[in-house]
Every structure is written in structure tokens, then in C-alpha cells.
Amino acid sequence: MNTTATTATPGVRALAWCLHLLVAGLLALTAGRAVAAAAPHAAGVVAAAALLALVYAAGGLLPRARAAHRAAAWWLAAVGALWVLLLVLSADAVWLAFPLYFLQLHLLPRRAGPAAVAATALAAILAFAAHRGSFALATAVGPALGAAVAVAVVWGYEALYRESEQRRRLIEELTATRADLAAAQHTAGVLAERERLAREIHDTLAQGLSSIQLLLRAAERALPDGTAAGYVEQARRAAVDNLAEARRFVVALTPPALQDATLAGALQRLCATTSTRHRLAARFHLTGDPLPLPTAHEVALLRIAQSALANTVRHAHANTAEVALGYLDDQVTVRVTDDGVGFDPDTAGFGLAAMRARVHALGGTLDVASTPGQGATVTARLPVTTPVPAVESEVNR
């Protein structure tokens, strides 16, 4: 069955009702003319028209007959057989061929539909010629032209519907991508603010408390009076306690995904989790000597790896995937490779836009290499810059 346009939009329902009214009107016209003209087979024409109307109405009242290919074919065959019977009895039934064209094109497969339309047009031409007792070119023009118009209208509508559906999907993808970009920008802003707060706390409050502690320790050793030394010791301990609190606050500003692990550890855990939850063997590979990176860089690379692996699970139908983290002299790279069905990067959706935006915001690049049937590789490169002082070293100082 032709299921190109199955959505029951108001426009489609209106067209269906127009088709039903056209069939009813033509049946009434055929029966009415037979009675008015006192045709020899007037009773048979009226009976055949009534039976055809009942069968047609039954098909319209049974949604399953339109949804199931076999049921629709049998119903359409019954309608066609009754129409042929009516056509034998009355030449006026030839006009019913036009709505039958639309039914056949709508209910039958794309190849069978035009063939049924051609057979219906041929039957209409031959029957009309038989009723007139002669064949003329004008006899064939009406049914043939109606068939051509019906095919053009239906195929044109289906093409417009497919184009509309493609645009709808593109708009949905664009809307989702804009939401992802907004979320990525918000996350980047949050991470930047966290880094700024951590840097400011370390460079001002923590350093000041550390200096106060050292000065109080020196004063404690220099004071001969035990009472004064006791007060100095209390002040020094208060400074130590507040320094510890400041350092714990710096630790709390670290993103949760990387709080208790390095970037390599987080990526290795990502591969293990993906392999456990999905039917995909994900491996992690590390090259080079790990370098300390700014938090924004680590989070961006982790998010890109997560997104690329998620796309592999959803779309690639892959068996294996590899996440490679590489440290070079002036850049760090994350490469995600799979052996799936691949895709055409030029016709890909907007899913990669968020990754590119995240990388470009940090001065990096994102490369996508894939061909249909040959898997895909997504590579993110970020320049190595001086990070905020490592949290662990600050806590242990």
C-alpha cells in the first residue's frame, strides 16, 4: 500500500470527503439518468449502483480495510468489479473511473497503482465505445486524460508531502541543536565562572591565609612570653582551619565528572560503562604523557567523547568503537572511531554543530571522516594552555 501520506491532517480529511461526495453524486447521477430515460436495464442499474454505494461505504467505515494491504486490495477489487458491472449496464458509469483512479493510487503500491489506473481507463474506453457502437479518438481522450491528471496530482501531492516531512524533521533537529548549543554555552559559562572563583580564591584568600599562618608561626617562636605565644598559637590554628576550608571550597568547584579522576580515567570509565549498557565493545587508548589541562578543556573533550559514543550507539549499528586520548607537544586530541554503517558528513544533521561550537569556543578544531558503509571517525583537537593550578597540589601544600 502506498503509505507516503498517512497523516490524517484536516486537508487530507477534506479531500477524502470530497472524493466520497463525488462517488455518491456520480452514482446518483447514473441511477437517476437510467430511471429518467426509462432504460431497458434501469432496475439493474439502480440495483448495481446501490450495491456499489454500500460496498464503498463499508470500506470507508472500516479503518482496518484501509490500513491493511490485503484487506484494502480485496475491498478495492470488489468496488472495481461492481463498477465494471455497472459500466456494462450504463455508459454513464464511465465517469466513476475518475474517483477510482485516486482510490487505486492511494491504496495500491507505487508500481501497482498506475497499472490499475491504466486498466481502469482501458475498461472505461472500451465500454463507452461498446455502448456507442463505434470507437473514436474522442472516446479515449476523456478517460486517458483523467487518468493522467489523477497520476500527476497524486504523485505531486506525495512529493510535496515528502518535502514537507523533510523540512519538519530539519526544523526539529535545528530546534534541538539550538537547545544543545544553549546548554553548551551555559555549561561553558558555569565552568568559566568556577575556574575564575577557584583561581581568585587560590590567589587571594588561600594565599593570604597561608601567609598569615607562616607569620604567626614565626611570631610564636620569637615571643618569650608563654601567654602571648598561646594566643598566637590559637590565631595560627584559626588561620590553618580557614585555609583548609578555602581549599575544600576550591575542590568543590571542580566539575563532578572529573572530580575524582583524570581525563584519561573518565574516558576509560565511559568506555566501560558504554560496553556494559549497550551491545558495543568500546575500548580506550592513551598515547603520550598526560598533561594538566584547564577544566574547560577536560570537560569539553569528555562531553565530545560522550556525544560521539552516544551517536555510535543510536545510529551506527557498530560492533566496536575506540576512544583515543593523545597528548602532543602543543595540543591534546580525542578521537572516537567505530566500525558502523557510516554516513555522509555533507548531509549529516545538526548533531555535530554542538560539538564544533564547544571546540571552537576553546580555540580547537573538530574533524569528521566517514563514508557510508566504512564507519566513522570524530577527532577533536584543543591547544594545550596553562591550566588553573591543580586542586590536589593546592590542598596538599
Side-chain angles (χ1 to χ4, degrees), residues 249-278:
F249 186 66
V250 172
V251 173
L253 291 175
T254 305
L258 298 168
Q259 193 171 52
D260 299 322
T262 62
L263 176 60
L267 292 176
Q268 188 171 14
R269 186 165 58 249
L270 171 64
C271 291
T273 303
T274 302
S275 299
T276 301
R277 295 179 179 177
H278 306 283

Side-chain angles (χ1 to χ4, degrees), residues 187-278:
T187 302
V190 171
L191 292 175
E193 183 64 13
R194 284 184 172 185
E195 286 195 59
R196 188 189 69 80
L197 288 175
R199 184 167 53 250
E200 293 296 330
I201 291 172
H202 170 264
D203 294 341
T204 57
L205 181 60
Q207 294 290 2
L209 290 173
S210 180
S211 298
I212 292 173
Q213 175 195 352
L214 294 176
L215 291 173
L216 289 175
R217 179 177 293 176
E220 179 185 3
R221 294 174 180 173
L223 285 174
D225 188 353
T227 302
Y231 287 124
V232 170
E233 171 63 16
Q234 293 178 16
R236 188 183 69 81
R237 289 188 177 279
V240 170
D241 293 340
N242 282 274
L243 178 59
E245 288 294 331
R247 287 170 176 166
R248 278 193 291 271
F249 186 66
V250 172
V251 173
L253 291 175
T254 305
L258 298 168
Q259 193 171 52
D260 299 322
T262 62
L263 176 60
L267 292 176
Q268 188 171 14
R269 186 165 58 249
L270 171 64
C271 291
T273 303
T274 302
S275 299
T276 301
R277 295 179 179 177
H278 306 283

